[in-house]
Each structure stands twice: as C-alpha cells, then as structure tokens.
Amino acid sequence: MTPNLNLWLIPILPLAGAAINGFFGKKSSRTAVSTIALVFCGAAFVWALSVAWRFSSLPEIPHQEYLAHWIRSGSFVADFAFYLDPLSLVMLLVVTGVGFLIHIYSVGYMWDDPGYYRFFSYLNLFMFFMLTLVLANNYLVMFIGWEGVGLASYLLIGFWFTKDSAASAGKKAFIVNRIGDFGFLIGLFLLIQHFPSLNFTDVFEGVPRLTPGAGTETLLTTVGILLMIGACGKSAQIPLYVWLPDAMEGPTPVSALIHAATMVTAGVYMVARSHVIFERAPIALTVVAIIGTLTALFAATIGITQTDIKKVLAYSTVSQLGYMFMACGVGAFSAGIFHLMTHAFFKGLLFLAAGSVIHAVGGEQDMRKMGGLRSYIPWTFLTMGTATLAIAGIPPFAGFWSKDEILWKAYQQNWVYWLIGVITAFITSFYMFRLLFMTFWGDYHGIQVDAHGRVHAAHGDDGHGEPHESPMVMLVPLMILAVLSLVGGWVGIGNRFEHFLAPVFGSGEVAEAGKEAATNFTEYLLMGVSVLVAALGAILAWVLYVSKPYLPQKIADGFGSFYEAVLNKYYVDELYAALFVKPLVDGSTRILWQGVDRKVIDDSINDAADGARHVSDNVRHMQSGNLRSYAGWIAAGSAAVIAYMIWLGVGR
C-alpha cells in the first residue's frame, strides 16, 4: 500500500498564513503578524523535511497524490494532484528552506513599514503558489502556480505602490510575463491536441510512442520552443529579461526570495521537468542553449557598469539563470538544477546582505556613496564575502562545484559554449569583487563636513549616526546562508547529486554519441582554467577599485560611446519603448478614443438623440389641438382595430 505523505499540507500552510494576515493582520500587532507568517511558513518547511526523510522508503517513484477531480471533457482529464520525485523534492526544500530564512530576515527589515501585515500576507501567498507549481502532477496545475507567482510577484514588486517607479516596475513585470505565458499556453494547447493529456506521466510516456518522422519532430520542436518562450518570461532570458532589473524597486527581501531563489528559477524547473520533450527536439534544445549562453554573457557585461548595489545583483541573477539554461540546452539537466540550488544559497545571501548594507546606511543603494563599511558592519561583510567567493567559483565554495559541472558538460557538447561560459565566469568574478571592494574597502564616502566643520555620517539610521550592524533577526539568516554557500555544493562531489536525480533524467542526459570520452586530465585542466579566470577577475577588481581607483574612470573615458552604451544597458529599454510601448500606447489611445469613444460611445448617443428628435418632430404634428383632427384619428384607429378582429375571426 502506497503511503500518503499529505503533500497538500506543504502549500496549504502558507496559504492559511496569507489568509489570516490578509483578513485580520491590519488590526493585529506586528508580533502577531510575524508569528503567523513564520509559524505557517516554518511548518511547511518542517513538513517538507519530513517528506524528504520518508522519501527513500517510498515503494514507487514518482509518488503521486490525487486531491480532487477537476476537469472532465471527453477523453481529456486533469485532476488536482501532486507529484513527488527527486526533482520536485529538491525544489521543495529550496523553496521552503530559503523562503523561511527570508521570512525571518523580513521581520527585522520590514518592521517599521506601515504595510507590514500586507507584506507578509503577500509573501505567504507567493509561497503557496510556488509550492503548487513545483508539486503539480500536470501542466495545468503547474500553470495555476505559474500564474499565481506572477500575481504575487506583481503585488510584491509594486508593494510601495505610492512610488511611481515601483508601480511601473510591477506593471512591467506583469505585462512582460504575460508575453511569455502566451507562448506557454499555446504549447499546452498543442499537447492537449496530440496526446490528449497534460499529466506528466501521460505526456512523457506518450512522446516516445509518437510516430517517427518530420511531423513528429516539427511538433516537438514547436512545443519545446513555445515552452521556452514561457520560460524566457519567467526566468528573465533574452529577449524578455527586461522586467527583472526594474523589479529591484520592491523591498530587498522580495528581491532575495522571488528574483534570486525561487520564482525566476521556475522557467529552469519547467524546462528540466519537460526534458523528455526537449531531448527529442534537438532544435529546441539548441535554442535553449544559445539563448542561455547569450543571456549569461550579455547580462554579465551590463553588471560591470552598474552602481546601484541591487542592480548589479539583478543583472548577475539574469546572467546566472543563463548559465542554468545553457546547462539544460546541452542536456546537462542535473547540472542546471545543481546550479539552481547553489544559486539559491549564495544569491539569496547576496541580496539579503545587500539589504543589510542598505539598512546600515539609511536606505542608500549607490555603491559610490559607500566604502569602508567592513569596520562598521563586520558580520554583513563576512557573509557577503562568502557569497562573493561562492558566485565567483572559488573552491571549495558552493558555486565552484555547480559552475564547473556546467562548464564541463558544455565543453563536451560544444567548445563555443564553454568558451563563452569561461568569459562570463571571468566577468562575474570581476563585477562581484568590484561590488565587494566598492562597498567595504577604502573610506566611507557617506562622511560629510557641515558648515561648522563637524564631521558626521550622511546616511545613518537617523540621518546623522554612523552606519551600524543589522539586528540578529537579520544576521542569523545571513549566517545560515553563508554556511550553505560554503558547503552546499559538496553534495555534488563524486556526482552524488547527479545520481540522486538519475530517476528523473536517467537516460535524459544527452548522450555523447560519436565523441571520444575526455580524459580526467582534460577535466582537471578545464577546472583549473575556470578557477584561474575567477582569480584573475578578483585581482583585476582589486587593482582597479582598491590599488588604483583612478583607473576605472580613465578606462571608461577611453571606451567612450561603447561604455555609455553598456552603462545604459545597450539601450534595450529605449528600443522596446520605441518599437512596442509607444506604438501600442498611441495605437491603443487612438483605438480607444477614435474607435470606441468617438465611433461607438459618442456616435451611439448622438445618433440616439438625433433619432429621438426626428421621431418627436413627426409625432408632434399629430398634436395639432384641432378636435376634428383628433376625432379623425380615433375613428381611423377604431376602424383598424375592428378590421383586425374581423380578420382574426375569419382566420378561425
């Protein structure tokens, strides 16, 4: 008998917390609100741990639990059911574990915000939808979670809705994601047409049974590309990445949870979950690899020039997501998920540490106005330094193991992917150590001298005090994530992580048919190259921002217009505004005003008035005031009635 793990409890617990705080939080104390949010989110994490403990004893993998019948239409059936295998288990632990730490951190970070209860309600709501997405046993339930995290993301990005930039960023994220979701939906319609089912088991077992031929390959290629379009929107890949940097307008814990550790990885998860389709659609798989590789390099170059600490991390996130897509595109799905997990640790830590820095300097985000902070906020410095070493790929930190695995798999598939990946690794190390040195080395640039010659800090908590360390409620999550950023990648030693995911991908890792197996020497050589470029990136950042801080401006001046283009993010936002936003807005205005307002609303009202006037003009002539005329009309009417009655009688 298959045991019942009650998987439904994992998403329903955060939903209960969201509902309680949403309905009653406004009249509750901050302590009560945070207690509700933490208890329900923490309970979901504990239940996920209990599921992981019992996972190895399950008699059948994947383990499925059916909750309710949902859609019945002819042969098409879609139930509300959950699906547990090694892939969804990894995602469960990442979402609930990192999510719980970010909830704890948020208690301190958001304590003084007037929308405190609303923030935690939205945060719990996001957890519900994200957990629904990763536990779904079919694409339709996944799509509910997919759209739900989009809604929660919109609410959290635009949380400070009275701020125009935040409201605009929320709308931008919502609209851009709808573009990707449209492609996802069309792909689902094609699956329904040809299988007809959206259950993972039915689809994945049905794909190999399709009749071989050009038609089948075209179908799977089309479905794969449409699914990739959806993933591009959710996981911020070219050309739909533009929403994520603007999403930094939301509170920093939102950036850590949604735009580093969980929501943006949904696209990677969906592609990995759909590996059976992509493996039989080599063109679609190549598209995934190319888009991921180009996104990794493109976003990394933009990160070099950014001065807003959160914007640097935003473009870093886009770049690292590109790494994950590159891994999936070369068939190394387990390596992509491995990097997804380690990225959740070190990028979540980077965002939370950035929030601690911002908290310390009274809300300032411009790194040019920081400097020398390691003596003011040592714990934040140590934890952020750990995360920087991890993302740069320095051994033995977590990012080294997952990034090296991706580069090795990429080299086996196509050396061009490997070369671009190595260049990206160098740039990543450079801009991350640039962030670290600009923020924590040198002199604190917030120090100002007033008119009386008194020296004071310009960005302290009260506007005058020195930068100060964050409270323990914010530091403890940083410390835990720092430990995970150090040891979290060790599970990949000896390919243990890949073996754990083998029941999911198994034969799904793209075979290296026709290629000679690379020697261990080659693998170690490439590993050495990746470590060397990471070290060179750190050294270059030290030279430019610590040893010779006057050089960056000279270099920028030397590159001239090219530097300006990179600084302005290659003018992609301006290009989109000119090609799409302005024409659509102007066109919509023209259609709404001329087509709807003038032609439909105004004309209908005006025509009705003209018609009423015309009828009244004709009718008023009947009211002449002449008695003989009235008598004539009565006689004519009576004659008409009598004639009608006689006609009815004859008819019978």
Side-chain angles (χ1 to χ4, degrees):
M1 182 178 178
T2 303
N4 189 347
L5 299 180
N6 292 314
L7 295 175
W8 61 274
L9 281 172
I10 299 175
I12 209 68
L13 285 166
L15 180 62
I20 293 171
N21 276 332
F23 286 116
F24 307 109
K26 189 173 184 179
K27 297 181 180 179
S28 303
S29 66
R30 277 170 164 70
T31 302
V33 168
S34 52
T35 299
I36 292 295
L38 292 180
V39 164
F40 282 96
C41 183
F45 176 51
V46 171
W47 197 258
L49 288 175
S50 73
V51 168
W53 179 261
R54 292 178 285 171
F55 181 77
S56 61
S57 63
L58 291 174
E60 185 178 2
I61 301 293
H63 171 81
Q64 301 191 59
E65 293 185 3
Y66 291 85
L67 305 180
H69 295 307
W70 187 16
I71 297 177
R72 296 287 189 275
S73 179
S75 60
F76 177 77
V77 176
D79 291 323
F80 208 92
F82 288 152
Y83 184 98
L84 184 69
D85 66 355
L87 176 58
S88 54
L89 180 61
V90 170
M91 293 296 295
L92 266 186
L93 295 175
V94 168
V95 173
T96 56
V98 177
F100 181 54
L101 291 176
I102 294 171
H103 274 68
I104 296 173
Y105 176 94
S106 300
V107 172
Y109 192 87
M110 298 296 293
W111 186 262
D112 294 323
D113 195 281
Y116 191 78
Y117 82 95
R118 185 165 52 90
F119 178 82
F120 277 103
S121 179
Y122 293 166
L123 216 58
N124 276 185
L125 183 66
F126 168 82
M127 293 287 289
F128 162 71
F129 283 122
M130 189 67 199
L131 291 168
T132 300
L133 187 158
V134 301
L135 280 172
N137 94 319
N138 62 72
Y139 283 105
L140 202 56
V141 176
M142 175 188 277
F143 192 73
I144 291 176
W146 188 274
E147 290 297 290
V149 294
L151 169 64
S153 175
Y154 166 75
L155 295 172
L156 286 165
I157 294 169
F159 178 75
W160 290 315
F161 55 84
T162 57
K163 185 180 175 184
D164 287 342
S165 57
S168 297
K171 289 184 286 187
K172 185 175 184 178
F174 194 82
I175 292 169
V176 172
N177 272 273
R178 297 293 73 69
I179 297 170
D181 295 350
F182 178 74
F184 190 6
L185 267 178
I186 300 300
L188 298 190
F189 292 154
L190 286 176
L191 290 177
I192 293 172
Q193 180 183 4
H194 288 87
F195 284 98
S197 177
L198 290 178
N199 289 342
F200 295 147
T201 302
D202 295 338
V203 172
F204 300 156
E205 290 178 354
V207 167
R209 292 198 295 263
L210 291 173
T211 304
T216 296
E217 185 173 335
T218 301
L219 167 66
L220 295 179
T221 298
T222 303
V223 171
I225 291 175
L226 288 169
L227 295 180
M228 177 59 192
I229 291 172
C232 281
K234 198 66 72 184
S235 292
Q237 298 294 284
I238 291 175
L240 301 178
Y241 73 93
V242 292
W243 67 270
L244 193 145
D246 287 12
M248 298 302 107
E249 291 291 340
T252 300
V254 173
S255 304
L257 178 64
I258 294 181
H259 309 118
T262 53
M263 189 192 96
V264 291
T265 61
V268 180
Y269 170 73
M270 186 263 282
V271 170
R273 174 61 73 197
S274 308
H275 69 96
V276 174
I277 295 173
F278 283 96
E279 287 161 3
R280 288 160 179 80
I283 295 175
L285 206 58
T286 301
V287 170
V288 173
I290 292 174
I291 288 179
T293 305
L294 293 179
T295 301
L297 179 61
F298 178 81
T301 60
I302 298 177
I304 294 174
T305 61
Q306 300 302 301
T307 55
D308 183 311
I309 190 170
K310 288 178 66 178
K311 285 291 180 71
V312 175
L313 298 179
Y315 283 104
S316 172
T317 298
V318 176
S319 180
Q320 294 301 306
L321 289 166
Y323 253 104
M324 299 174 208
F325 275 95
M326 180 173 70
C328 292
V330 300
F333 297 102
S334 59
I337 298 300
F338 187 21
H339 197 57
L340 182 156
M341 181 186 73
T342 60
H343 179 264
F345 300 152
F346 60 70
K347 185 55 67 63
L349 173 55
L350 283 168
F351 269 112
L352 295 186
S356 183
V357 170
I358 295 167
H359 175 81
V361 296
E364 182 59 65
Q365 295 183 197
D366 191 333
M367 296 185 297
R368 294 170 298 183
K369 298 179 181 178
M370 298 177 187
L373 291 177
R374 68 183 189 277
S375 60
Y376 294 100
I377 47 175
W379 284 107
T380 299
F381 163 65
L382 288 173
T383 54
M384 196 168 199
T386 301
T388 301
L389 291 167
I391 191 174
I394 303 297
F397 294 88
F400 162 75
W401 303 100
S402 55
K403 188 177 291 187
D404 182 70
E405 183 73 11
I406 292 174
L407 290 174
W408 170 237
K409 297 291 186 180
Y411 178 82
Q412 291 177 294
Q413 187 70 16
N414 190 318
W415 67 269
V416 175
Y417 297 143
W418 172 84
L419 179 61
I420 296 176
V422 167
I423 294 172
T424 302
F426 168 76
I427 298 173
T428 300
S429 178
F430 172 75
Y431 68 65
M432 285 308 308
F433 278 98
R434 169 182 175 266
L435 179 152
L436 195 71
F437 296 146
M438 288 182 70
T439 304
F440 293 100
W441 259 259
D443 298 324
Y444 178 52
H445 299 140
I447 299 295
Q448 293 183 346
V449 180
D450 63 21
H452 302 286
R454 292 186 297 239
V455 178
H456 61 80
H459 305 294
D461 185 52
D462 58 1
H464 298 285
E466 289 185 342
H468 56 283
E469 190 62 275
S470 298
M472 287 304 295
V473 72
M474 294 171 62
L475 289 179
V476 169
L478 297 186
M479 296 172 187
I480 295 173
L481 287 172
V483 172
L484 292 173
S485 296
L486 172 61
V487 305
W490 297 359
V491 296
I493 298 175
N495 292 324
R496 284 179 295 180
F497 192 80
E498 184 176 352
H499 293 155
F500 177 71
L501 292 177
V504 181
F505 302 120
S507 59
E509 301 286 0
V510 171
E512 301 170 25
K515 297 185 178 182
E516 295 182 2
T519 63
N520 289 334
F521 173 77
T522 304
E523 183 175 2
Y524 290 133
L525 176 63
L526 297 179
M527 183 186 299
V529 170
S530 66
V531 175
L532 177 62
V533 298
L536 290 176
I539 293 170
L540 181 60
W542 173 270
V543 171
L544 293 180
Y545 294 94
V546 178
S547 178
K548 300 179 180 179
Y550 57 87
L551 279 180
Q553 188 58 50
K554 286 187 175 181
I555 295 173
D557 294 339
F559 277 98
S561 58
F562 178 72
Y563 175 80
E564 287 296 322
V566 179
L567 180 63
N568 289 282
K569 300 158 286 189
Y570 298 105
Y571 301 105
V572 172
D573 282 315
E574 290 79 0
L575 178 65
Y576 282 9
L579 293 179
F580 305 112
V581 179
K582 192 174 187 300
L584 285 174
V585 170
D586 291 348
S588 299
T589 302
R590 185 165 55 252
I591 292 170
L592 288 172
W593 181 62
Q594 295 183 351
V596 178
D597 189 31
R598 290 185 59 184
K599 297 296 184 184
V600 177
I601 299 175
D602 287 356
D603 286 359
S604 62
I605 293 173
N606 292 336
D607 289 347
D610 290 342
R613 186 183 301 109
H614 180 71
V615 171
S616 64
D617 284 344
N618 292 326
V619 172
R620 68 186 176 86
H621 291 299
M622 298 173 60
Q623 303 297 325
S624 62
N626 191 315
L627 293 177
R628 286 180 296 178
S629 175
Y630 292 162
W633 282 110
I634 292 172
S638 300
V641 171
I642 292 169
Y644 177 69
M645 294 177 67
I646 292 172
W647 178 76
L648 286 178
V650 172
R652 290 194 183 94

